[in-house]
């Protein structure tokens, strides 16, 4: 597995620099903005999130604002996005930040992971993108990309395979650009190494050493 993965970071980051979609949470990746985007993007496509994200940040631009927002106003902002437990957990987490961290977004992986509604992937995304911590962010896109490139036939729905891939990525994530690396992996899975339909191998920065393509 490691041989193929070790070849990936440089071509992937060069590809991302040229091909990354322009998204509002990327242009100003504060912890709060990245966190809101990652929760909204769970089980929802990017195109569907953009207007909601803009309206949400206009209405509640800070953790303190979100913590104090009446529940009916919160639900109105979220209406149409579905999976309403995400919104309730966002507010629970905002109150945790206010009560336990003095209103300042926590800056370690474990503290971010302790927030309501935050799992391994979201904690990794926020820690790497907003704080520059070299922590993998492993979602379905990333699992698919890694198993294809490395020819791993393991079942990506099992915790053991996810742990193995997370550990392999931890070994190769570039310490000077962990947030860009994680976003590039997600971008590759969302736009090139597709789950349904033919992958666009001619556009992939890992095509030369991808075992699935070979």
């Amino acid at each position: 597995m490691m041989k193929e993965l070790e070849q990936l970071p440089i071509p992937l980051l060069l590809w991302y620099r040229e091909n990354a979609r322009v998204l509002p949470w990327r242009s100003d990746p504060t912890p709060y903005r990245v966190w809101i985007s990652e929760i909204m993007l769970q089980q929802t496509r990017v195109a569907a999130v953009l207007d909601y994200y803009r309206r949400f940040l206009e209405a509640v631009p800070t953790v303190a604002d979100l913590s104090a927002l009446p529940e009916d106003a919160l639900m109105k902002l979220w209406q149409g996005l579905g999976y309403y437990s995400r919104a309730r957990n966002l507010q629970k987490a905002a109150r945790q930040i206010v009560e336990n961290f003095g209103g300042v977004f926590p800056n370690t992986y474990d503290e971010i992971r302790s927030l309501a509604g935050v799992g391994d992937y979201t904690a990794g995304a926020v820690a790497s993108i907003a704080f520059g911590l070299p922590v993998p962010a492993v979602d379905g896109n990333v699992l698919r990309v890694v198993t294809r490139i490395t020819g791993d036939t393991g079942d990506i729905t099992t915790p053991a395979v996810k742990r193995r891939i997370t550990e392999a990525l931890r070994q190769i994530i570039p310490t000077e650009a962990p947030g860009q690396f994680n976003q590039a992996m997600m971008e590759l899975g969302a736009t090139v190494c597709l789950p349904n339909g033919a992958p666009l191998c001619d556009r992939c920065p890992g095509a030369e050493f991808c075992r699935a393509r070979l």
Side-chain angles (χ1 to χ4, degrees), residues 51 60 75 95 113:
D51 285 342
V60 275
M75 288 300 133
R95 289 172 177 164
R113 181 69 178 78

Side-chain angles (χ1 to χ4, degrees), residues 1 5 8 141-152 165 168-169 185:
M1 176 184 280
L5 282 186
L8 184 60
N141 279 326
V142 173
L143 289 168
R144 182 173 62 259
V145 168
V146 171
T147 51
R148 285 180 178 172
I149 284 177
T150 61
D152 189 325
I165 289 172
L169 289 169
M185 290 290 284

Side-chain angles (χ1 to χ4, degrees), residues 47-70:
V49 161
L50 291 171
D51 285 342
Y52 283 97
Y53 180 81
R54 179 182 49 76
R55 285 197 299 270
F56 196 92
L57 282 201
E58 283 172 1
V60 275
T62 69
V63 167
D65 294 325
L66 176 54
S67 171
L69 190 69

Side-chain angles (χ1 to χ4, degrees), residues 29-129:
T30 65
Y32 180 72
R33 288 168 63 90
V34 173
W35 170 55
I36 297 295
S37 74
E38 289 297 342
I39 299 299
M40 282 191 172
L41 287 166
Q42 289 171 6
Q43 299 164 310
T44 311
R45 288 170 54 254
V46 167
V49 161
L50 291 171
D51 285 342
Y52 283 97
Y53 180 81
R54 179 182 49 76
R55 285 197 299 270
F56 196 92
L57 282 201
E58 283 172 1
V60 275
T62 69
V63 167
D65 294 325
L66 176 54
S67 171
L69 190 69
E71 187 176 353
D72 59 338
L74 174 65
M75 288 300 133
K76 191 152 197 262
L77 282 172
W78 203 267
Q79 191 173 355
L81 265 179
Y83 302 101
Y84 288 89
S85 60
R86 292 183 296 172
R88 294 189 183 92
N89 279 329
L90 267 178
Q91 186 162 64
K92 273 189 206 164
R95 289 172 177 164
Q96 280 177 270
I97 293 168
V98 168
E99 290 164 18
N100 302 339
F101 300 101
V104 178
F105 206 98
N107 62 3
T108 71
Y109 175 86
D110 288 339
E111 287 173 340
I112 298 167
R113 181 69 178 78
S114 75
L115 300 174
V118 172
D120 294 342
Y121 163 76
T122 302
V126 176
S128 62
I129 297 166

